[in-house]
Amino acid sequence: MLWPGTLIGAGAGYAIASIPGALLGALLGQALDRRLQLHSWAQLRERLGGRPALRNDELLFVLLGRLAKSNGRVVDGHIQQARQEMRALDMSASAQRRAIAAFNRGKSGSDRVRRYLRVLKAQPHAAEGVLRACWRMVWADGRADDAERDLINQWGRWLGWTPQQLKALAADYTPERKPLANRGASYQDALRLLGVTATTEPSAIKRAYRRLLSRHHPDKIAGTGASPAQVREATERTRELHSAYALIRERRDFR
């Protein structure tokens, strides 16, 4: 864990009185860290009157704002999508105000989000939720341009996602995506759908398949209050996963 006051105290003490000074400075700095509950440089900046550290929900809307503005113009579809995300998160009035402010900050592109995404990497479900919300925002205006794709791919890498996983996730949100079972699925299509490669071990393929099947199961989706259209999409996605897994098992000859 990072203790900024401790580091500053140790550095200042060393500059003044070498090693004894560093030890004394570190002790004093640690006492300050504990008193002010400082665990990061962002918290220190906040205490000093700088921009507050981003909460997870604010981080999401900063990212959504940046995507909405990435092609130069925020349209009504972007605004409506942001509101829909707020409703999906069941935000209170105060949380919505913070989200709106974060969205507007995101449009300016001034926030450095890399360190926040690397922290979020330790929360896989939250990280996936952020990436999915980002793709929903991308398609809010009916198209996805290179700048938007580049941003999501960059953020995904910072979150620890592989290129194959990011490509499979992007496919979930591509409009008019034909079902795998109906488009003469190739082996490569099946691999991309499961987010695996031709050299992935069978046990890892099975885990990826079961994880995706659990995530997209229509009964699970329905239990979260999803719309009938979302349940139908989950049902179709489940069929695709079955088809992809069967194709890979046949090609790799495992059970």
Side-chain angles (χ1 to χ4, degrees), residues 125-178:
H125 292 297
E128 181 179 344
V130 164
L131 290 174
R132 288 188 175 277
C134 285
W135 273 113
R136 289 192 291 269
M137 179 58 72
V138 165
W139 286 107
D141 61 352
R143 61 191 180 90
D145 61 28
D146 290 342
E148 292 167 326
R149 293 180 185 276
D150 288 346
L151 281 173
I152 293 183
N153 285 334
Q154 182 182 65
W155 297 338
R157 288 194 299 272
W158 292 343
L159 287 168
W161 281 52
T162 66
Q164 292 84 2
Q165 289 173 318
L166 289 169
K167 187 176 291 186
L169 184 66
D172 282 355
Y173 295 93
T174 302
E176 299 179 1
R177 178 172 49 84
K178 295 181 181 179

Side-chain angles (χ1 to χ4, degrees), residues 64 68-69 71-87 103 107 136-143:
L64 297 182
K69 187 67 173 180
N71 58 10
R73 181 167 172 263
V74 178
V75 300
D76 186 62
H78 294 135
I79 303 299
Q80 294 303 320
Q81 184 61 42
R83 290 174 178 165
Q84 186 171 329
E85 298 295 340
M86 292 181 205
R87 288 193 292 270
F103 185 84
K107 290 189 294 184
R136 289 192 291 269
M137 179 58 72
V138 165
W139 286 107
D141 61 352
R143 61 191 180 90

Side-chain angles (χ1 to χ4, degrees), residues 1-14:
M1 183 176 290
L2 176 65
W3 298 90
T6 303
L7 294 177
I8 293 173
Y14 184 83

Side-chain angles (χ1 to χ4, degrees), residues 22-242:
L23 294 174
L24 178 59
L27 287 173
L28 293 173
Q30 188 175 67
L32 182 64
D33 284 329
R34 293 183 181 279
R35 180 176 180 81
L36 299 180
Q37 296 185 340
L38 297 176
H39 306 293
S40 68
W41 294 111
Q43 289 177 324
L44 178 61
R45 285 193 295 273
E46 181 178 0
R47 289 286 186 174
L48 294 175
R51 175 171 286 179
L54 288 174
R55 298 154 49 113
N56 279 1
D57 55 350
E58 292 172 317
L59 171 62
L60 169 62
F61 284 91
V62 165
L63 299 179
L64 297 182
R66 188 168 299 182
L67 284 170
K69 187 67 173 180
S70 63
N71 58 10
R73 181 167 172 263
V74 178
V75 300
D76 186 62
H78 294 135
I79 303 299
Q80 294 303 320
Q81 184 61 42
R83 290 174 178 165
Q84 186 171 329
E85 298 295 340
M86 292 181 205
R87 288 193 292 270
L89 293 170
D90 194 23
M91 286 183 153
S92 65
S94 60
Q96 289 184 37
R97 287 192 293 271
R98 288 196 304 270
I100 292 170
F103 185 84
N104 290 330
R105 281 166 52 187
K107 290 189 294 184
S108 72
S110 60
D111 282 276
R112 296 181 179 180
V113 300
R114 184 172 186 171
R115 67 177 182 273
Y116 297 109
L117 291 173
R118 287 191 163 176
V119 170
L120 195 63
K121 179 180 177 179
Q123 305 172 47
H125 292 297
E128 181 179 344
V130 164
L131 290 174
R132 288 188 175 277
C134 285
W135 273 113
R136 289 192 291 269
M137 179 58 72
V138 165
W139 286 107
D141 61 352
R143 61 191 180 90
D145 61 28
D146 290 342
E148 292 167 326
R149 293 180 185 276
D150 288 346
L151 281 173
I152 293 183
N153 285 334
Q154 182 182 65
W155 297 338
R157 288 194 299 272
W158 292 343
L159 287 168
W161 281 52
T162 66
Q164 292 84 2
Q165 289 173 318
L166 289 169
K167 187 176 291 186
L169 184 66
D172 282 355
Y173 295 93
T174 302
E176 299 179 1
R177 178 172 49 84
K178 295 181 181 179
L180 187 70
N182 296 337
R183 56 184 167 102
S186 73
Y187 181 50
Q188 292 301 320
D189 290 328
L191 292 172
R192 282 193 292 270
L193 187 63
L194 295 189
V196 297
T197 69
T199 59
T200 301
E201 291 294 325
S203 59
I205 294 174
K206 290 178 183 179
R207 288 195 298 271
Y209 166 66
R210 289 168 180 165
R211 183 176 64 251
L212 289 168
L213 199 62
S214 173
R215 181 187 304 159
H216 295 287
H217 197 284
D219 291 344
K220 184 175 182 179
I221 297 294
T224 64
S227 67
Q230 289 172 318
V231 174
R232 286 194 299 271
E233 181 181 353
T235 301
E236 189 57 57
R237 187 64 168 174
T238 299
R239 292 196 191 101
E240 292 187 10
L241 291 170
H242 286 318

